[in-house]
Amino acid sequence: QVQLVESGGGLVQAGGSLRLSCAASGSIFSINAVGWYRQAPGNERELVAAITSGGSTNYADSVKGRFTISRDNAKNTLYLQMNSLKPEDTAVYYCNADVTVVINTPAQRTVFRRDYWGQGTQVTVSS
């Protein structure tokens, strides 16, 4: 129904920058709140940043002032600009989207709302 594909991860030295992208495709009527999460080995998945359909943002304290979340509604794409990266930012980063899905068939029109996750992209920050 809906696919989220992340890109932009990689290996970077401490102090460097990376920009993650998450492109949504499929039977999308609208994308509501979206966010970036990360999970380091041995840790639980945690929220990094989120942005509503209206543009309101929320950041984890550990990334405030260094990361910026944004979205391009016309392209159904979410971004995470990460600056001043630290070794503790090393993790698999996942995008998450609250999507209103519409599926049209000759017989009926089905609309529902569901949460989707991307496959994750590895970010490694070396010291």
Side-chain angles (χ1 to χ4, degrees):
Q1 299 150 350
V2 174
Q3 297 78 40
L4 301 181
V5 178
E6 297 112 334
S7 61
L11 174 63
V12 65
Q13 288 189 331
S17 297
L18 284 174
R19 188 191 195 207
L20 304 183
S21 299
C22 173
S25 62
S27 303
I28 299 170
F29 179 76
S30 65
I31 299 178
N32 309 303
V34 289
W36 288 98
Y37 290 73
R38 66 186 181 188
Q39 187 168 20
N43 291 355
E44 293 187 354
R45 191 172 297 188
E46 63 174 358
L47 175 67
V48 175
I51 184 168
T52 67
S53 56
S56 296
T57 58
N58 180 44
Y59 295 93
D61 288 342
S62 59
V63 306
K64 282 181 182 176
R66 299 188 297 123
F67 290 10
T68 302
I69 189 171
S70 61
R71 59 191 290 171
D72 185 331
N73 292 327
K75 295 182 179 179
N76 286 337
T77 301
L78 174 68
Y79 303 99
L80 185 68
Q81 178 66 43
M82 305 185 294
N83 299 328
S84 302
L85 282 161
K86 304 175 181 180
E88 51 263 43
D89 294 318
T90 295
V92 178
Y93 284 70
Y94 299 90
C95 67
N96 171 268
D98 173 10
V99 181
T100 300
V101 178
V102 59
I103 299 175
N104 290 311
T105 69
Q108 65 181 29
R109 183 172 189 253
T110 303
V111 180
F112 59 90
R113 191 164 169 172
R114 189 191 152 182
D115 224 38
Y116 291 90
W117 290 90
Q119 81 288 353
T121 185
Q122 176 70 46
V123 171
T124 303
V125 184
S126 63
S127 57

